[in-house]
Amino acid sequence: MEPLYVVLLCFVSTAVAESLVTFTIKEDTPRFHTVGSIPDAFKLAANLTRDQFESLRYQFLTNPGNLFDIGTISGELRTNTSVDRESVCDFHTVCQKDLTVTARATNFGYIEILTVRVIIEDINDNSPVFDPSSMRLTIPEHSSIGTSYKIHSATDKDVGINSIQSYNIVPENGPFGLNVTKTLDGSFFVRVVIRQTLDREIQNYYQLNIRALDGGSTPNVGVLTVHVDVSDINDNSPVFTQTTYNTSVQENVTVGSDILQCIATDKDILDNGKVSYKFSQRSDLEMIKAKFSLNAETGQINLISQLNYGEQKLYEFFIEAYDHGEEVRMSQARVIINVLDAGNNAPSMDIAFFEGGNGSQLVNIREGTKEDVSIAHIKVTDADPGQNGVVECSISNAAFWLQEVSSSNYVVLVKSALDYETVKSYQVTVSCQDQGSPSMSSNLSFTVNIMDDNDNAPKFVQRLYQAFVPENKPAGMRVAEVLAKDGDSGVNAVIRYRLEGDIGLEIDSVTGVVVTSRPLDREATPQTSVRVLAVDQGNPPLTGTTTLFLNVQDVNDNAPRFNVSQYSFEVYENMNNIRVGTVYAVDLDSELNGQITYSVNDDTFEIRGNGAIFTKRALDYETQKVHTFTVTARDHGVQIQSTNIQVRVYVIDANDNAPKCVFPDEYNHTVSLPYLTQIGSLITTVQAYDADSGRNSHLSFQILGGNNHQTFKLDYNSGELFYDNTFVIKKDSVFRLNISVSDQGTPALSSTCVLEVMLTHTNMSMQPFPNDNADNKYVVICVVVVIITIFFSTVLITVIIIIRRNDRRNQERKAQQEKARNLQQFQGIDQRYYQSQASFPEDLSRKKKKEVSFSLEDDLDKSLDISGHSILDQRYNEFQPGTDQDKLKHFDQLLINPSADSRKNNLMKGSHDSSSDTSTDLTASDSGRGGSDVEMHHSSNAPDEEKTYNLSNPYTRASSFPPTVYTPPDRGGAGSSHKSDNSASNRKDYTGLTPRETFEKKHGINRHSQESSRSESCLPSYV
């Protein structure tokens, strides 16, 4: 891409400038966080017009690590990820990233190369860490105060004040302290310093916690556990049980006999506490070694050559007890052996142990044996007479005493409680001496071994232990190490460890190392404790206890969680900045990991820190009834966790819309009907709507004005307008009804509209009624044929056609017969009369196209063809005088006003409407709501009488011609006589004829031609 920009720069006319701005963010800032605005920081709009500035587009030339994102149009610099300063800059004190951004516009050749420096500030998000987290030191006892030992320091990924600032030691008042030195690069040298003298024989183990603290507002702590073993040095010399050992032996004592045992002990351990014996160099070793031997391991002195009272009465020498340390330490004891003359025999001694005896020189006694418990019986015998046979005995060890139970019988008893942990064995010597002169004595020595009793429970070196472990770590992570000691020995000192309870930890029964047995969950158990048991293997076993406090450190492993699956709220419309409701999420993590921030993805709403949702603008129920959006809850952990929840806000309708009329409206507000319309007839329906809902949209209708004489009634709920009252009018009348439409809201809103209703002054022409059963039958057949299936329709239509054909043939045959019979009767009619009618057919044919036409069947007594005879009847009446005119008048009355018995077979008069073939029904144009202009014109302006005559008088037209009376031309001046004669002649021919035949003959109508034209239609014709 860079070569491409170089080429582009060659063609840019505007000078390229380079600038630098600096933004600062804190590390772990969440993704898409706004760092700053490039155009604002560089003030790019200062030298550009608004259009030029808005045409700028921004992009990176360099973006190290792809850490940031830039808005192409807005120029807003955002984080592309959560930036971890430690990952980006390691231990650099200043963490910064330089970005190169171009701002360019191709439409006017503008480019700016901008350098942006983003400084990433450190936050205290890392704790000091010791690696490894524990170590062991071995320090010799009696080391010099001030001696120091180096330990490894902690590391902290943070920098500056957030890095490690100090160390301390726990316990603070113990024999150890810290020597901490800070180097130039900010690291530390840490040394453990001895502040008090260490004595292994008093305490041989210490546990220290070295704590490293950073400089955060709430310091993070790292802990190093230091196990200090106090090693032994040879600081104790062997100590004899007695400083002087004094005994007497007969000169005749058997060679190889045990003379006495010298015992010394050393408080040190291992080689430093191992004691050996030897004769002191200051003694006459040659003489001593000639008579006695010394067991170097046990300190036992034996006779190796016969004693001679005469040679040497007394042997005195020193024995040295020494250990095996690097610097050998030793002590001495004096030994005095008196040799007795055999002339006075020394007393003899026999010993018997009560229990635990092993021969005559060893007895095993359990520690804890109470005082005054006898352990052995000594019998002393001296056969010498007199004072030579009087014996007194004594015991050499202060832990025991000798009791004379009878003459020559002694019992060895325990003088003080025996403690294995203090002295494990005793060398006891009982000396008996007679009263002879010289006095003779005998010594009896035996060893008392103290058998260890399990009287010491294991004891932990620390009363309490504290450990820290991050949650979710896999099983097997080391947590702590405990140590207990037992003052007993052997199997009584063998310790096994175990935990009392299951808290996700397990302990090595031999070493005391505590590890996790499963991943720990801080949210379930942030802090807990468990008793650690140290059990020895004695019988019965004894147990020591301590408490391990476990602190589980939080990691961001929980996303915020809402207590419901979806929120639904309601809010009234038209209200701004109103609280809608509150969402609530919880995060089981702690501190920053548990702090929650809410956000919403709908610009209509805003959410505040406590989860309260507010509207940012007024809501409109009619525009949107339900708002659905997503609320996101995010925590502030290093790895941000978030949870979304859907929120539905239902807008509650307010009565803020008045009803609106659909009909009538400004352009369509007229309906018309004849004033003789039946009472209760539906005229029209007022149509309206209300944009609100519920009761706010329930409409009611009422007439406010214009309803004179209560002519109309408007249904309150449906808006239907009915014809409710009638009265006589002489001309068309218009009613302007002022109608109110109201809703049921609170408060109620209403609107008005005007409906014009025109009552037309019209003659209700007679409607035709069916009067022929045969025709009616075919009509019914035709209707049924339409409803039936296609197959049966075809069959029925075929049958009807056949029947009609036969019927028509019969009618034609009958018409031929009647024509032949009546032909003579019509020959006397005046030819001039027919000539005068020559112009009638044309007018009549034109009129018949618009008038109502009826075709009747053969029964002349019941069928009349009005369209074919109305004109002739009227005109005939106008020029026929005398009796014939009266008869015709009577016949016309029969046509127009039939009797009650035959009314159903007569025809009603046709409509006066000149624009359509029928007009007796209410007609309204404008989609059924108002009469058209043509209808209004033709349905008014003429009186009823004139409109009635228009039906039968072809020369009278409602709009053009006035009614006229036709007068036949005078034929040779004898018009009157002609009419009289003609009437007389006609009356002579009417004898025996039916009324219709008489009418046809009177007017010269050819019935056969009418039947022929009528037979062309298979069914009667109605309008």
Side-chain angles (χ1 to χ4, degrees):
M1 291 297 293
E2 292 182 0
L4 177 60
Y5 284 115
V6 173
V7 174
L8 289 175
L9 289 174
C10 295
F11 296 93
V12 175
S13 60
T14 303
V16 176
E18 293 188 3
S19 303
L20 171 67
V21 296
T22 301
F23 296 112
T24 301
I25 64 170
K26 291 187 179 297
E27 70 167 329
D28 294 340
T29 299
R31 186 181 183 188
F32 302 135
H33 174 77
T34 300
V35 178
S37 173
I38 298 295
D40 292 344
F42 287 95
K43 300 180 180 179
L44 297 180
N47 298 321
L48 300 175
T49 66
R50 180 176 180 179
D51 292 337
Q52 290 175 340
F53 176 75
E54 291 179 348
S55 65
L56 293 180
R57 295 298 180 265
Y58 305 86
Q59 69 182 91
F60 285 117
L61 287 180
T62 60
N63 182 14
N66 196 27
L67 298 177
F68 301 94
D69 181 40
I70 191 169
T72 304
I73 297 175
S74 66
E76 184 178 74
L77 184 64
R78 301 179 296 266
T79 56
N80 197 32
T81 183
S82 179
V83 181
D84 183 12
R85 193 204 64 82
E86 288 75 23
S87 300
V88 175
C89 298
D90 293 327
F91 290 97
H92 294 291
T93 304
V94 177
C95 181
Q96 65 183 33
K97 290 297 176 182
D98 290 340
L99 315 174
T100 305
V101 178
T102 62
R104 61 193 184 99
T106 58
N107 58 350
F108 64 97
Y110 176 89
I111 187 169
E112 286 278 354
I113 297 178
L114 311 172
T115 301
V116 179
R117 176 167 295 165
V118 180
I119 297 176
I120 304 168
E121 293 183 345
D122 181 57
I123 64 173
N124 192 20
D125 59 341
N126 291 280
S127 298
V129 176
F130 288 93
D131 187 18
S133 60
S134 66
M135 65 176 296
R136 185 173 291 275
L137 287 178
T138 300
I139 301 176
E141 65 178 331
H142 296 290
S143 295
S144 300
I145 294 176
T147 304
S148 63
Y149 295 86
K150 183 180 181 301
I151 63 173
H152 58 274
S153 59
T155 59
D156 192 335
K157 293 182 179 180
D158 295 325
V159 297
I161 191 65
N162 294 326
S163 64
I164 298 173
Q165 300 299 316
S166 63
Y167 289 79
N168 60 33
I169 188 170
V170 177
E172 296 180 354
N173 299 322
F176 299 93
L178 280 182
N179 184 354
V180 180
T181 303
K182 189 172 184 179
T183 62
L184 295 178
D185 62 359
S187 61
F188 291 86
F189 286 118
V190 183
R191 302 182 71 87
V192 175
V193 181
I194 299 176
R195 298 190 303 190
Q196 299 175 10
T197 301
L198 304 180
D199 189 350
R200 189 206 65 81
E201 286 70 32
I202 297 175
Q203 185 171 346
N204 62 358
Y205 171 84
Y206 297 88
Q207 179 172 306
L208 311 176
N209 287 331
I210 310 300
R211 302 169 74 241
L213 295 85
D214 61 26
S217 57
T218 301
N220 293 323
V221 179
V223 178
L224 170 66
T225 301
V226 180
H227 303 279
V228 179
D229 294 314
V230 181
S231 62
D232 184 58
I233 64 172
N234 196 14
D235 60 336
N236 289 282
S237 299
V239 177
F240 284 95
T241 58
Q242 297 176 219
T243 58
T244 301
Y245 294 88
N246 190 350
T247 187
S248 299
V249 293
Q250 292 289 333
E251 61 179 348
N252 58 356
V253 67
T254 307
V255 174
S257 298
D258 294 332
I259 304 302
L260 59 85
Q261 183 179 17
C262 298
I263 297 177
T265 59
D266 195 330
K267 293 182 179 180
D268 296 325
I269 60 174
L270 302 177
D271 288 342
N272 295 330
K274 183 179 179 182
V275 178
S276 297
Y277 304 90
K278 66 179 181 178
F279 291 110
S280 173
Q281 297 295 329
R282 288 184 174 273
S283 301
D284 189 355
L285 293 181
E286 185 175 356
M287 181 186 67
I288 297 302
K289 288 184 177 180
K291 293 294 181 180
F292 305 98
S293 66
L294 177 62
N295 189 319
E297 299 296 328
T298 63
Q300 183 73 44
I301 300 174
N302 296 94
L303 183 64
I304 59 174
S305 64
Q306 191 66 48
L307 296 176
N308 189 331
Y309 177 80
E311 293 179 356
Q312 185 74 30
K313 298 180 178 64
L314 178 67
Y315 295 91
E316 183 175 353
F317 54 88
F318 297 92
I319 294 179
E320 294 180 352
Y322 63 91
D323 58 29
H324 292 262
E326 291 182 1
E327 295 182 6
V328 178
R329 300 180 70 94
M330 67 88 177
S331 61
Q332 293 181 339
R334 182 189 299 270
V335 177
I336 299 175
I337 300 176
N338 295 301
V339 179
L340 301 178
D341 185 10
N344 181 17
N345 295 312
S348 64
M349 303 172 64
D350 295 317
I351 187 170
F353 298 105
F354 292 114
E355 60 181 19
N358 184 8
S360 60
Q361 295 183 349
L362 180 65
V363 64
N364 295 318
I365 301 175
R366 301 192 67 83
E367 70 171 323
T369 300
K370 297 180 179 181
E371 298 178 1
D372 298 333
V373 173
S374 58
I375 61 173
H377 173 263
I378 298 177
K379 185 174 177 57
V380 181
T381 305
D382 193 338
D384 293 335
Q387 291 296 318
N388 291 337
V390 177
V391 178
E392 290 183 358
C393 296
S394 63
I395 193 166
S396 63
N397 199 298
F400 304 92
W401 67 285
L402 195 63
Q403 179 183 11
E404 184 177 4
V405 294
S406 62
S407 178
S408 303
N409 291 290
Y410 295 88
V411 176
V412 179
L413 297 93
V414 177
K415 188 176 182 180
S416 61
L418 304 178
D419 184 12
Y420 171 84
E421 289 71 34
T422 302
V423 180
K424 296 178 175 56
S425 66
Y426 294 89
Q427 188 68 35
V428 180
T429 301
V430 178
S431 298
C432 293
Q433 186 175 6
D434 61 13
Q435 301 298 316
S437 180
S439 176
M440 301 294 294
S441 65
S442 296
N443 295 321
L444 177 64
S445 297
F446 61 91
T447 301
V448 178
N449 287 333
I450 307 303
M451 298 176 60
D452 183 36
D453 198 2
N454 193 22
D455 57 347
N456 290 280
K459 183 177 181 181
F460 285 93
V461 296
Q462 288 183 226
R463 186 173 61 87
L464 298 174
Y465 290 85
Q466 189 172 20
F468 299 86
V469 61
E471 65 175 328
N472 301 331
K473 291 295 183 181
M477 181 178 180
R478 183 187 178 100
V479 175
E481 181 179 355
V482 298
L483 178 65
K485 292 188 176 183
D486 195 316
D488 296 321
S489 63
V491 69
N492 295 329
V494 176
I495 298 174
R496 294 293 180 263
Y497 301 96
R498 69 170 184 264
L499 300 179
E500 191 176 65
D502 181 14
I503 63 169
L505 301 178
E506 59 185 11
I507 188 171
D508 189 298
S509 61
V510 177
T511 65
V513 175
V514 181
V515 297
T516 58
S517 62
R518 61 175 181 268
L520 302 179
D521 185 6
R522 190 206 66 83
E523 289 69 40
T525 308
Q527 188 179 55
T528 186
S529 62
V530 64
R531 291 182 67 202
V532 184
L533 306 182
V535 183
D536 62 26
Q537 304 302 303
N539 185 20
L542 298 179
T543 302
T545 63
T546 188
T547 302
L548 172 62
F549 289 95
L550 180 64
N551 298 282
V552 183
Q553 297 172 326
D554 184 52
V555 298
N556 193 19
D557 59 342
N558 288 278
R561 184 174 58 190
F562 292 93
N563 55 0
V564 295
S565 59
Q566 177 179 299
Y567 282 97
S568 296
F569 302 113
E570 293 182 346
V571 63
Y572 282 95
E573 66 173 328
N574 303 327
M575 302 184 72
N576 187 24
N577 195 26
I578 187 172
R579 183 175 178 273
V580 176
T582 301
V583 299
Y584 180 71
V586 295
D587 194 317
L588 299 179
D589 294 320
S590 65
E591 298 180 352
L592 291 177
N593 296 332
Q595 294 182 11
I596 298 176
T597 299
Y598 301 95
S599 62
V600 64
N601 67 344
D602 193 330
D603 294 338
T604 306
F605 302 90
E606 66 176 357
I607 189 166
R608 299 179 182 174
N610 61 352
I613 300 173
F614 287 79
T615 59
K616 296 173 65 176
R617 59 176 176 82
L619 306 182
D620 185 13
Y621 173 86
E622 289 70 35
T623 302
Q624 187 172 353
K625 297 178 176 60
V626 180
H627 294 263
T628 302
F629 54 88
T630 300
V631 171
T632 301
R634 293 183 177 88
D635 60 28
H636 293 252
V638 176
Q639 298 294 331
I640 295 176
Q641 300 267 16
S642 63
T643 301
N644 296 331
I645 192 169
Q646 188 180 69
V647 177
R648 291 180 180 270
V649 177
Y650 295 89
V651 182
I652 302 175
D653 182 41
N655 193 23
D656 57 344
N657 290 278
K660 293 185 179 180
C661 291
V662 177
F663 174 78
D665 59 11
E666 180 181 357
Y667 305 101
N668 185 13
H669 54 268
T670 304
V671 296
S672 65
L673 74 158
Y675 83 99
L676 293 180
T677 300
Q678 183 179 355
I679 299 300
S681 298
L682 174 65
I683 300 173
T684 187
T685 300
V686 176
Q687 299 180 8
Y689 73 92
D690 193 316
D692 295 320
S693 65
R695 291 186 56 83
N696 296 332
S697 65
H698 293 172
L699 303 181
S700 60
F701 304 84
Q702 60 179 336
I703 299 174
L704 299 179
N707 189 14
N708 300 333
H709 307 291
Q710 300 299 314
T711 306
F712 307 100
K713 179 176 72 174
L714 182 63
D715 188 278
Y716 182 79
N717 295 312
S718 66
E720 294 178 334
L721 184 66
F722 295 93
Y723 192 36
D724 194 50
N725 191 14
T726 186
F727 56 92
V728 177
I729 63 173
K730 295 183 179 181
K731 61 179 181 179
D732 294 350
S733 299
V734 177
F735 291 81
R736 289 179 58 85
L737 301 181
N738 189 13
I739 297 175
S740 171
V741 183
S742 302
D743 59 28
Q744 303 298 315
T746 303
L749 300 179
S750 63
S751 60
T752 60
C753 53
V754 176
L755 175 65
E756 293 186 355
V757 181
M758 178 178 288
L759 290 182
T760 60
H761 184 271
T762 180
N763 179 30
M764 297 297 292
S765 301
M766 298 180 63
Q767 295 289 338
F769 290 95
N771 58 358
D772 193 319
N773 292 333
D775 289 340
N776 209 21
K777 176 180 66 176
Y778 292 116
V779 172
V780 173
I781 292 174
C782 289
V783 173
V784 173
V785 166
V786 173
I787 299 175
I788 301 176
T789 62
I790 301 300
F791 175 78
F792 289 102
S793 297
T794 305
V795 174
L796 290 176
I797 291 173
T798 304
V799 172
I800 292 172
I801 292 173
I802 295 174
I803 295 175
R804 290 298 297 154
R805 184 183 297 117
N806 294 335
D807 185 51
R808 186 166 57 251
R809 289 174 181 175
N810 292 334
Q811 292 178 358
E812 291 175 354
R813 190 182 306 111
K814 185 175 179 180
Q816 292 290 341
Q817 293 174 358
E818 291 179 354
K819 182 177 181 182
R821 184 174 65 249
N822 298 324
L823 182 59
Q824 296 298 326
Q825 297 180 9
F826 288 96
Q827 293 177 353
I829 301 176
D830 189 352
Q831 295 299 324
R832 290 175 300 172
Y833 175 79
Y834 289 101
Q835 293 174 357
S836 66
Q837 310 299 322
S839 60
F840 291 179
E842 181 180 357
D843 295 335
L844 181 61
S845 64
R846 288 196 302 267
K847 182 65 178 178
K848 288 173 65 179
K849 292 179 181 179
K850 300 184 69 65
E851 291 183 340
V852 178
S853 175
F854 298 88
S855 295
L856 308 177
E857 287 299 329
D858 296 335
D859 190 351
L860 296 178
D861 295 334
K862 299 179 180 179
S863 303
L864 296 176
D865 189 351
I866 296 176
S867 64
H869 302 293
S870 62
I871 299 174
L872 295 177
D873 291 341
Q874 180 180 0
R875 295 187 64 184
Y876 188 83
N877 290 333
E878 292 174 356
F879 60 79
Q880 290 294 331
T883 305
D884 293 337
Q885 185 175 4
D886 294 338
K887 291 180 181 180
L888 288 174
K889 180 177 182 181
H890 175 73
F891 189 72
D892 288 340
Q893 293 174 350
L894 178 65
L895 293 176
I896 296 173
N897 188 21
S899 63
D901 295 337
S902 61
R903 182 174 299 170
K904 66 179 179 177
N905 295 323
N906 292 335
L907 300 174
M908 296 183 66
K909 295 178 181 180
S911 172
H912 62 278
D913 191 348
S914 62
S915 298
S916 62
D917 293 340
T918 61
S919 62
T920 57
D921 294 334
L922 172 64
T923 60
S925 65
D926 295 342
S927 303
R929 299 180 179 89
S932 65
D933 294 340
V934 178
E935 291 170 341
M936 293 302 177
H937 175 74
H938 290 289
S939 63
S940 62
N941 302 326
D944 289 346
E945 292 81 2
E946 182 178 350
K947 292 174 183 178
T948 302
Y949 288 133
N950 284 344
L951 174 67
S952 58
N953 189 352
Y955 298 100
T956 302
R957 300 179 185 263
S959 60
S960 300
F961 303 99
T964 60
V965 177
Y966 178 79
T967 304
D970 186 7
R971 298 181 181 183
S976 302
S977 61
H978 172 76
K979 289 188 285 183
S980 176
D981 294 342
N982 189 28
S983 300
S985 63
N986 287 341
R987 280 196 301 272
K988 291 189 293 183
D989 297 335
Y990 300 158
T991 304
L993 298 180
T994 65
R996 178 162 184 163
E997 291 174 340
T998 302
F999 181 78
E1000 290 176 347
K1001 282 189 176 185
K1002 185 184 297 183
H1003 296 283
I1005 298 173
N1006 189 348
R1007 180 175 180 271
H1008 175 69
S1009 63
Q1010 292 180 2
E1011 292 178 359
S1012 299
S1013 62
R1014 185 180 62 195
S1015 63
E1016 293 175 0
S1017 175
C1018 68
L1019 295 175
S1021 175
Y1022 297 95
V1023 177

